Amino acid sequence: MEQKETQKPASIKVTGSQSVIKSLIEEGVEIMFGYPGGQIMPIYDALYDFTDKINHVLVRHEQGAAHAAQGYARATGKVGVAMATSGPGATNLITGIADAMLDSTPLVCITGQVGAMLLGTDAFQETDVIGISMPVTKWNVQVTKAEDIAPAIAKAFYIARTGRPGPVLVDITKNAQFAECDFQYKKCEGIRSYIPVPKVDVNKIDQAAKIINEAKKPYILFGQGVILGSAEKEFRAFVEKSGIPAAWTLLGNSSLPTSHPLNVGMLGMHGNYGPNIKCNECDVLIAIGMRFDDRVTGDVKRFAKQAKVIHIEIDPAEIDKNVKTEVAVLGDVKESLPLLTERIKTNNHEAWIGEFKKCMDIEYNQVIKKDIHPEKEGMTMGEVIRRITDKTKGDAILVTDVGQHQMIATRYFKFNKTRSCITSGGLGTMGFGLPASIGAKMGAPDREVILVVGDGGLQMTIQEMGTIFQTGAAVKIVLLNNNFLGMVRQWQQMFFEKRYSSVELINPDFITIAKGYSIEGQKVTSRTNIDNAIDTMLNHNGPYLLEVVVEKEGNVFPMVPAGCSVSEIRLE
């Protein structure tokens, strides 16, 4: 019997620049963020003919492009795309790329480069972006021939989105953009020696199930891996059958609804009291899709030494890196968790959960009550966040910048839906919030997007108000203004004898600046006006800036001081 030959897709003649745009369309890209310049101008010229297929968002700074692409990726689960020219354009992307690397965010960044004949000559706007970006990308490549562009982009998307996601950079020389080639796009479906998802070892599942079934005080710590693996339903089924209390990392927030009875709160440096101290009291610690970073463990030498640790993780490099495991379950959490759920007993750890509730009562009386129902005259960040979350009923996407407001917002905001908490975790990038909120809103236009930002972080990327002006992205910006770099000031107060060095800010009139970009807004200084102001913001059809003046020297507690054990968490 004759075997029919597989017909290859017909190829067409295009320029390298057209190959870039056509490749992005083949990968389903609908929105990208960027800023043009000399060495990427041919690609922007090709984009001119495809504006009906791809919405290019012109940011005001290349860092904004990377952060906006992050916000888009985090809100949608798709790969974010950012584009910039060579030299300073490419280097301005690096902060966002590094942020995406630490937070496992899938990005494809495309940079223009000087012509291949000029590489290494210190040509105008030439930088070695491959060398610079290598430590902060999952993969990078420089393309010098037009025919290599489509395969490189296909490989980039495959690497960015598979396994543990991350940022990828494709640097394309100008001669490759101008040259012609035959275009025939083939999506990448595998790379030799790259195994993005380890095979699940059923023996490890059995071992983990046995330990869990014998546990008296088991405890779940879950991270962003649950969201990245689209395993929210599988995770919830595991939690509910096991009856085990579960605490989230900063990036794991919203994987499980805030109101779920087994959701006991946030762990980490500024996490909740119970979730932190119980790490050193549980007998079994089940870590799911998290990496035991120092902001979670505190002094790792004194972290959970009494517990048998089960680590469910997709990245083999994270196993035993910081915390020694009893059983490591490698693989896709969406596959491994149901196998584990099948093998565990239906349980109810009522007495153990009661201990978490007692801790929450202590925290409420010593910290939370003062934060959300303050008796002092000045407004607190906590009361503002709680009022906003009550009015949005837990359905909004929260985007934060970095600092005191970030810790307060992520702890007091309520979440009903997954992919609702977008913040900079591993890198802690001030300036992340405003551009990330634009990307999130463009990725989820039907959802309310609330940006909570401080006066320091807002001014790091304040120029992206221009992007809001041009796109109309209806982001609701809540500026919590204390005229300080608040988190640094708190550390100086607690650990540097109140020697407030270079942390007090003399701020501009933010409302006037916003109005210059046609963004409506108001400034609130009194508690009596806050509810009406929040209603006005939420009811406004379009972007809005609500500036709230909060107490100048408010601190964020609980807190595990740097280098301390989680058992040494401070409530004041």
Side-chain angles (χ1 to χ4, degrees):
M1 188 174 179
E2 289 187 17
Q3 191 173 11
K4 291 183 179 179
E5 288 187 13
T6 306
Q7 275 194 331
K8 293 182 179 178
S11 62
I12 56 172
K13 208 78 169 176
V14 299
T15 64
S17 298
Q18 291 169 329
S19 180
V20 171
I21 304 303
K22 285 180 174 291
S23 296
L24 295 177
I25 292 169
E26 290 285 343
E27 288 291 346
V29 175
E30 296 175 340
I31 298 176
M32 61 190 296
F33 306 86
Y35 202 94
Q39 305 304 337
I40 203 165
M41 209 176 295
I43 294 176
Y44 272 89
D45 182 68
L47 179 63
Y48 187 86
D49 295 322
F50 294 95
T51 52
D52 60 328
K53 299 282 182 66
I54 297 180
N55 176 17
H56 176 272
V57 178
L58 177 62
V59 296
R60 297 304 185 263
H61 188 284
E62 292 88 354
Q63 181 182 346
H67 291 325
Q70 286 178 273
Y72 175 84
R74 296 267 289 274
T76 64
K78 299 177 182 178
V79 177
V81 179
M83 195 156 70
T85 192
S86 65
T91 58
N92 282 343
L93 286 175
I94 295 298
T95 295
I97 292 172
D99 194 286
M101 186 67 178
L102 277 169
D103 286 354
S104 303
T105 304
L107 295 188
V108 169
C109 296
I110 297 170
T111 52
Q113 184 56 274
V114 300
M117 70 295 296
L118 292 175
L119 289 172
T121 68
D122 293 332
F124 178 66
Q125 291 193 333
E126 180 196 1
T127 56
D128 179 11
V129 70
I130 295 299
I132 292 169
S133 66
M134 190 172 289
V136 293
T137 51
K138 192 176 174 185
W139 179 70
N140 66 11
V141 65
Q142 187 172 76
V143 181
T144 59
K145 297 178 181 179
E147 58 266 30
D148 294 335
I149 289 174
I153 290 177
K155 190 174 179 181
F157 274 87
Y158 178 72
I159 292 173
R161 67 162 63 102
T162 54
R164 180 179 180 175
V168 170
L169 183 137
V170 181
D171 190 47
I172 307 173
T173 59
K174 199 167 187 178
N175 63 289
Q177 298 173 44
F178 276 124
E180 287 193 339
C181 64
D182 291 323
F183 179 78
Q184 180 182 305
Y185 198 78
K186 183 181 179 183
K187 286 193 176 184
C188 183
E189 296 177 353
I191 300 170
R192 185 178 177 183
S193 79
Y194 171 55
I195 303 170
V197 182
K199 186 178 179 181
V200 176
D201 184 342
V202 177
N203 290 328
K204 297 290 186 182
I205 297 283
D206 289 336
Q207 291 173 34
K210 184 175 186 296
I211 292 170
I212 292 169
N213 288 333
E214 293 173 354
K216 303 299 181 188
K217 292 185 175 183
Y219 181 22
I220 296 169
L221 307 182
F222 63 95
Q224 191 188 198
V226 173
I227 296 172
L228 296 175
S230 300
E232 293 90 344
K233 289 182 181 177
E234 291 80 1
F235 174 66
R236 184 167 181 163
F238 172 72
V239 169
E240 290 176 350
K241 184 176 181 182
S242 68
I244 299 174
W248 37 271
T249 67
L250 181 64
L251 297 185
N253 198 357
S254 83
S255 305
L256 190 68
T258 308
S259 60
H260 195 284
L262 292 172
N263 185 335
V264 294
M266 174 180 168
L267 69 149
M269 178 173 279
H270 285 287
N272 295 107
Y273 180 56
N276 275 291
I277 66 171
K278 296 304 176 185
C279 287
N280 283 353
E281 295 178 20
C282 64
D283 58 355
V284 173
L285 194 64
I286 307 155
I288 303 175
M290 53 88 73
R291 59 188 179 88
F292 288 114
D293 68 283
D294 60 300
R295 283 295 172 105
V296 162
T297 65
D299 180 4
V300 72
K301 294 177 181 177
R302 292 182 284 165
F303 180 79
K305 292 301 178 183
Q306 79 295 337
K308 292 180 179 179
V309 177
I310 298 168
H311 198 171
I312 300 172
E313 174 61 45
I314 198 169
D315 185 358
E318 294 298 342
I319 302 299
D320 294 333
K321 185 175 82 174
N322 297 325
V323 172
K324 182 70 177 173
T325 58
E326 184 81 12
V327 178
V329 179
L330 283 169
D332 186 337
V333 69
K334 196 172 181 70
E335 179 187 358
S336 59
L337 265 185
L339 295 174
L340 186 57
T341 303
E342 286 175 9
R343 289 163 170 78
I344 61 171
K345 299 173 184 174
T346 302
N347 216 328
N348 182 345
H349 297 277
E350 191 174 350
W352 172 231
I353 292 167
E355 294 185 32
F356 283 88
K357 290 178 180 176
K358 289 176 184 177
C359 289
M360 183 52 74
D361 289 341
I362 293 170
E363 183 180 341
Y364 181 84
N365 288 321
Q366 293 192 40
V367 179
I368 297 173
K369 185 166 65 173
K370 299 174 186 176
D371 276 348
I372 64 175
H373 300 298
E375 296 177 355
K376 60 185 96 173
E377 184 178 339
M379 279 187 287
T380 65
M381 295 184 182
E383 67 176 308
V384 177
I385 297 301
R386 180 51 61 89
R387 288 168 191 246
I388 293 171
T389 195
D390 286 346
K391 289 176 182 291
T392 55
K393 298 181 170 57
D395 293 329
I397 292 176
L398 169 72
V399 183
T400 84
D401 206 81
V402 170
Q404 288 181 314
H405 68 274
Q406 176 190 31
M407 298 294 103
I408 291 288
T410 49
R411 287 177 62 238
Y412 290 142
F413 219 80
K414 304 291 184 184
F415 299 101
N416 296 326
K417 300 176 182 177
T418 188
R419 294 194 174 276
S420 293
C421 183
I422 299 174
T423 190
S424 173
L427 200 63
T429 305
M430 290 179 69
F432 170 89
L434 184 57
S437 68
I438 296 169
K441 184 62 181 179
M442 301 194 83
D446 296 332
R447 296 189 66 188
E448 191 76 84
V449 174
I450 308 288
L451 166 65
V452 177
V453 64
D455 45 315
L458 179 62
Q459 292 181 85
M460 285 198 167
T461 51
I462 196 168
Q463 68 275 0
E464 297 309 331
M465 283 187 178
T467 307
I468 291 176
F469 178 35
Q470 188 160 344
T471 62
V475 177
K476 301 305 190 318
I477 305 167
V478 180
L479 167 59
L480 300 179
N481 187 354
N482 57 11
N483 291 103
F484 264 123
L485 299 177
M487 189 63 85
V488 182
R489 183 212 55 76
Q490 179 171 336
W491 280 54
Q492 288 177 344
Q493 176 184 332
M494 295 176 67
F495 310 118
F496 292 89
E497 299 176 337
K498 292 188 178 182
R499 291 161 60 88
Y500 292 164
S501 176
S502 302
V503 289
E504 188 164 10
L505 295 170
I506 305 301
N507 285 321
D509 184 336
F510 291 108
I511 301 302
T512 297
I513 291 173
K515 286 183 177 177
Y517 290 106
S518 292
I519 298 172
E520 291 297 319
Q522 65 175 306
K523 181 176 182 177
V524 177
T525 59
S526 169
R527 182 173 291 117
T528 56
N529 299 325
I530 188 65
D531 283 313
N532 286 337
I534 293 171
D535 289 337
T536 300
M537 175 185 73
L538 295 176
N539 292 328
H540 181 71
N541 183 22
Y544 197 91
L545 171 63
L546 174 60
E547 179 184 358
V548 184
V549 177
V550 294
E551 57 180 340
K552 194 165 184 180
E553 295 188 49
N555 288 332
V556 182
F557 288 103
M559 180 180 183
V560 179
C564 290
S565 163
V566 290
S567 300
E568 297 172 296
I569 188 169
R570 293 172 58 171
L571 293 173
E572 58 184 19

